[in-house]
């Protein structure tokens, strides 16, 4: 589903953010990207949605080299990759429903489809009774669930999660992980960057560890590390 | 996948939700364009006043009391034959006295007048006011004395010349003011719109994140920029109209009365004001759109 071939990303002359990354992620896989801050986890994610451009190498998604993608095709790429972040990135002046519906509106889905899809996905994340609430009226865990709903409402084949539990307590984090697992079981490829040792250890999924821009470990059913 | 309803409703709801920013942008456009428009109207107004003064530049050729009718006719024919001559009126001694009485009605000066001391005259209007000096010289011989039968030629040479040079200076100064104000307006409006887009950068970020196309992100902002520019300049025009109606026209009357200008081209200048309004509104709308396009470039690159 996702393949990195000899990918390098250099922000400035001295330090490479990613060095010679070769990695293949299968369809339907759940992969943890671990490593200290500045090890290149976010760079990895940003390359996939072409928020930044690789210095060299090729990245394939569903067999297609996204390095040759025209600027005008980038929105199409992003419609196939859902993203969630540590800071949720919700719009404060929109309700739960509107925040999720927004993702469908801006890609031009018709109104009747929005009316069906949004409640469905809100039910999936357990927020169907909070449709009319504004983000500031909700807890951090609930806000993150809105952002998952927004990322998934379009049923993208890939979901990227950049430290999704970074701002949440362990119990709330477990709830988020359950939702991500459920989404993964529906066939979605999930890539999650995290610092959270206990989550990685309890899930027993594939773990890729980055250090100073290099892959130092790639383990099936792995743990966080030493 | 064009969805005008989405864009209009998005423009409208976003304006409602970002009311303060929109309000700021509209007021900025309205006030700055009002000031620019005010000066523009002022220029055209002054211009029209000056034009009517220029149109009235005339020569008064005073005749000696003892002039023979033959010479009188000869001078009249001579003046009529010049191509600079627009209009020529003969004012007899009696008519001159009559007019003097009218102009000074109720004044003590009338009681002191005995007989008729006023001379007969030709009043000449010129097609080209700037040739007034040239025409006046024709009433003199080469020694600088008036030719036979002419007592005096009056055309207020210094007054006319000063008027022309002052006109030119005022015109240049006001034009400079307008240019500076226009630049200030552009910068101010651009910054306001940039600020209102900056305030919504999160929204833009999310739109791009979920895969909105660049045009989809841009269009509501362009609508909003146009809307703000358009409404702002419309307000400026309305303010200008009200002010023009109550202040400028009154001011014009004062000028007309103090300077004894006969037929000031108020109507002519009003026509021009309509062009100023139209220009302002188009300018405001365009400026709103262009500002939005430039300000968005930072956020909508890819």
């Amino acid at each position: 589903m996702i393949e990195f071939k000899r990918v390098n990303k250099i922000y400035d002359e001295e330090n490479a953010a990613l060095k010679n990354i070769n990695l293949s992620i299968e369809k339907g896989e759940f992969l943890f990207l671990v490593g200290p801050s500045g090890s290149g986890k976010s760079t990895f994610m940003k390359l996939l949605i072409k928020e930044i451009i690789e210095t060299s190498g090729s990245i394939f998604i569903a067999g297609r080299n996204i390095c040759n993608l025209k600027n005008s095709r980038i929105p199409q790429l992003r419609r196939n990759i859902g993203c969630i972040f540590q800071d949720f990135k919700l719009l404060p002046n929109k309700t739960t429903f509107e925040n999720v519906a927004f993702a469908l509106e801006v890609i031009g889905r018709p109104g009747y489809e929005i009316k069906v899809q949004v409640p469905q996905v809100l039910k999936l994340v357990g927020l169907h009774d909070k449709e009319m609430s504004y983000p500031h009226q909700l807890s951090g865990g609930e806000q993150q669930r809105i952002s998952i709903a927004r990322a998934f409402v379009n049923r993208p084949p890939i979901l990227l999660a950049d430290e999704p539990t970074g701002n949440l307590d362990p119990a709330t984090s477990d709830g988020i992980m359950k939702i991500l697992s459920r989404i993964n079981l529906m066939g979605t490829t999930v890539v999650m960057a995290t610092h959270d040792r206990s989550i990685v250890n309890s899930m027993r999924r594939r773990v890729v560890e980055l250090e100073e821009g290099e892959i130092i470990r790639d383990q099936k059913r792995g743990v966080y590390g030493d | 996948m064009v969805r005008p309803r989405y864009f209009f409703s998005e423009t409208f709801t976003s304006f409602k939700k970002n009311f303060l920013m929109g309000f700021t942008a509209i007021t900025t456009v309205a006030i700055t364009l009002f000031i620019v428009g005010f000066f523009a109207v002022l220029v055209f107004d002054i211009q029209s006043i000056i034009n009517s003064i220029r149109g009235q530049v005339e020569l008064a050729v005073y005749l000696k009391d003892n002039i023979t009718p033959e010479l009188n006719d000869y001078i009249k024919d001579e003046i009529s034959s010049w191509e600079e001559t627009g209009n020529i009126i003969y004012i007899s001694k009696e008519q001159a006295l009559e007019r003097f009485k009218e102009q000074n009605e109720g004044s003590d000066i009338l009681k002191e007048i005995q007989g008729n001391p006023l001379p007969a005259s030709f009043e000449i209007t010129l097609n080209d006011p700037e040739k007034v000096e040239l025409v006046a010289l024709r009433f003199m011989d080469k020694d600088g004395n008036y030719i036979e039968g002419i007592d005096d030629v009056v055309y207020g040479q210094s007054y006319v010349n000063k008027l022309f040079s002052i006109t030119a200076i005022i015109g240049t100064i006001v034009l400079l003011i307008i240019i500076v104000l226009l630049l200030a307006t552009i910068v101010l409006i651009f910054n306001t719109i940039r600020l209102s887009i900056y305030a919504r950068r999160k929204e833009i970020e999310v739109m791009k994140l979920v895969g909105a196309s660049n045009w989809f992100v841009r269009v509501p902002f362009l609508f909003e920029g146009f809307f703000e520019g358009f409404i702002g300049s419309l307000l400026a025009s309305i303010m200008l109209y009200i002010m023009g109606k109550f202040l400028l026209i009154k001011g014009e009357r004062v000028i007309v009365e103090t300077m004894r200008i006969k037929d000031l081209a108020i109507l002519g200048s009003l026509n021009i004001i309509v062009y100023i309004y139209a220009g302002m509104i188009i300018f405001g709308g365009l400026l709103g759109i262009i500002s939005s396009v430039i300000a968005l470039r930072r956020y909508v690159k890819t």
Side-chain angles (χ1 to χ4, degrees):
Chain A
M1 194 61 167
I2 301 172
E3 198 173 359
F4 276 58
K5 275 188 181 164
R6 295 189 303 280
V7 174
N8 284 284
K9 175 64 191 177
I10 302 168
Y11 287 110
D12 57 66
E13 304 268 320
E14 304 286 301
N15 304 304
L18 284 180
K19 285 178 218 160
N20 195 30
I21 298 294
N22 289 289
L23 185 68
S24 178
I25 302 170
E26 296 305 312
K27 182 169 167 21
E29 218 173 342
F30 196 119
L31 181 139
F32 284 113
L33 211 53
V34 300
S37 298
S39 58
K41 301 191 299 289
S42 291
T43 303
F44 185 94
M45 302 280 202
K46 284 177 183 165
L47 285 173
L48 280 173
I49 55 169
K50 277 184 94 71
E51 198 177 314
I52 54 174
I53 304 297
E54 63 289 328
T55 312
S56 66
S58 339
I59 301 167
F60 295 87
I61 292 179
R64 223 186 135 168
N65 189 348
I66 63 162
C67 305
N68 309 330
L69 216 56
K70 273 191 247 152
N71 272 357
S72 60
R73 301 295 298 167
I74 291 176
Q76 203 57 47
L77 169 75
R78 290 181 182 163
R79 288 174 200 188
N80 287 306
I81 303 177
C83 284
I84 56 180
F85 299 91
Q86 188 171 1
D87 59 354
F88 319 139
K89 296 196 196 293
L90 298 174
L91 299 176
N93 55 0
K94 288 191 192 291
T95 63
T96 301
F97 185 93
E98 286 167 345
N99 260 292
V100 178
F102 190 65
L104 291 177
E105 272 165 12
V106 299
I107 63 172
R109 310 309 307 182
Y112 60 84
E113 195 183 315
I114 293 172
K115 282 198 192 92
V116 176
Q117 296 266 38
V118 175
Q120 250 177 35
V121 79
L122 282 177
K123 201 163 183 185
L124 177 77
V125 300
L127 278 179
H128 46 285
D129 53 345
K130 300 271 168 72
E131 275 186 7
M132 301 315 284
S133 307
Y134 285 90
H136 67 90
Q137 297 168 320
L138 300 171
S139 70
E142 287 168 327
Q143 291 187 39
Q144 189 60 291
R145 281 191 272 162
I146 303 177
S147 105
I148 294 173
R150 183 181 63 195
F152 193 63
V153 66
N154 187 31
R155 310 285 157 147
I158 298 170
L159 191 74
L160 302 181
D162 195 356
E163 312 249 7
T165 58
N167 281 339
L168 307 174
D169 60 69
T172 314
S173 298
D174 282 348
I176 297 295
M177 291 318 294
K178 282 205 179 77
I179 294 168
L180 290 181
S181 298
R182 207 177 300 156
I183 286 173
N184 176 236
L185 280 176
M186 293 163 79
T188 308
T189 310
V190 179
V191 178
M192 171 169 162
T194 186
H195 277 133
D196 198 319
R197 178 178 294 268
S198 61
I199 285 177
V200 177
N201 291 345
S202 66
M203 297 273 291
R204 288 282 168 161
R205 302 298 184 115
R206 183 176 173 192
V207 174
V208 170
E209 186 171 356
L210 286 170
E211 199 177 280
E212 289 180 356
E214 285 178 288
I215 295 178
I216 57 164
R217 181 162 63 102
D218 185 351
Q219 213 175 1
K220 292 251 183 272
R221 303 183 62 79
V223 291
Y224 189 86
D226 314 314
Chain B
M1 215 166 46
V2 184
R3 301 184 54 213
R5 250 186 65 201
Y6 165 81
F7 291 126
F8 282 121
S9 76
E10 189 63 18
T11 304
F12 183 67
T13 51
S14 88
F15 184 76
K16 262 197 333 202
K17 283 179 176 170
N18 301 286
F19 177 74
L20 203 66
M21 274 328 292
F23 182 74
T24 313
I26 288 178
T27 344
T28 309
V29 175
I31 292 171
T32 46
L33 278 186
F34 170 72
I35 295 170
V36 172
F38 174 76
F39 274 97
V41 170
L42 212 61
V43 170
F44 284 115
D45 225 50
I46 289 172
Q47 203 59 47
S48 74
I49 289 172
I50 280 161
N51 282 343
S52 36
I53 293 173
R54 283 167 70 128
Q56 287 166 43
V57 168
E58 47 181 44
L59 260 75
V61 179
Y62 294 105
L63 306 171
K64 290 215 163 96
D65 284 355
N66 60 8
I67 191 168
T68 60
E70 292 77 28
L71 187 56
N72 195 330
D73 289 346
Y74 172 74
I75 291 174
K76 186 176 180 181
D77 290 345
E78 192 67 17
I79 294 171
S80 307
S81 72
W82 297 335
E83 55 174 321
E84 293 90 349
T85 308
N87 203 5
I88 173 166
I89 307 168
Y90 177 73
I91 308 281
S92 68
K93 281 178 71 76
E94 293 71 33
Q95 284 168 324
L97 184 65
E98 200 58 40
R99 198 158 71 173
F100 185 77
K101 279 181 180 165
E102 260 173 44
Q103 283 171 358
N104 295 281
E105 223 179 323
S107 163
D108 288 343
I109 201 166
L110 291 178
K111 291 173 198 154
E112 286 165 32
I113 290 179
Q114 311 235 320
N116 186 357
L118 296 171
S121 64
F122 289 113
E123 288 183 357
I124 309 163
T125 328
L126 296 181
N127 292 328
D128 186 354
E130 281 167 65
K131 292 228 172 93
V132 68
E133 217 160 346
L134 201 84
V135 173
L137 277 175
R138 296 195 184 132
F139 297 97
M140 290 182 176
D141 59 24
K142 51 183 181 290
D143 299 326
N145 300 312
Y146 288 116
I147 54 173
E148 204 193 334
I150 306 289
D151 188 38
D152 200 2
V153 176
V154 176
Y155 64 94
Q157 53 260 60
S158 58
Y159 161 69
V160 170
N161 285 339
K162 262 185 204 152
L163 188 70
F164 290 150
S165 58
I166 288 172
T167 314
I169 293 169
I170 291 180
T172 318
I173 291 173
V174 176
L175 204 68
L176 279 176
I177 293 177
I178 288 181
I179 290 172
V180 170
L181 277 175
L182 219 54
L183 286 178
T185 308
I186 291 173
V187 172
L188 210 58
I189 293 173
F190 172 67
N191 271 330
T192 314
I193 287 182
R194 202 174 60 169
L195 219 59
S196 82
I197 288 176
Y198 177 78
R200 294 171 59 193
R201 67 197 178 285
K202 257 189 110 170
E203 211 164 314
I204 296 176
E205 190 192 348
V206 172
M207 285 173 112
K208 287 172 61 187
L209 195 69
V210 297
S213 71
N214 285 341
W215 278 108
F216 207 92
V217 179
R218 277 193 206 113
V219 168
F221 286 101
L222 300 190
F223 265 126
E224 202 178 315
F226 173 77
F227 178 71
E228 286 165 356
F230 179 76
I231 298 291
S233 45
L234 198 68
L235 281 179
S237 297
I238 293 170
M239 288 196 286
L240 208 60
Y241 176 77
I242 293 169
M243 192 206 59
K245 197 150 193 180
F246 294 108
L247 275 173
L248 269 185
I249 292 176
K250 247 183 203 160
E252 271 176 350
R253 282 217 185 96
V254 172
I255 295 169
V256 171
E257 274 157 27
T258 49
M259 295 184 79
R260 303 223 164 133
I261 299 163
K262 280 175 227 151
D263 48 335
L264 184 60
I266 292 177
L267 269 179
S269 75
L270 269 181
N271 267 337
I272 289 167
I273 287 173
V274 171
Y275 286 120
I276 295 178
Y277 290 159
M280 268 169 53
I281 293 170
I282 293 169
F283 176 79
L286 276 183
L287 192 60
I289 292 185
I290 293 169
S291 302
S292 304
V293 170
I294 297 172
L296 274 170
R297 271 207 318 214
R298 233 192 98 182
Y299 300 102
V300 194
K301 259 180 270 166
T302 53

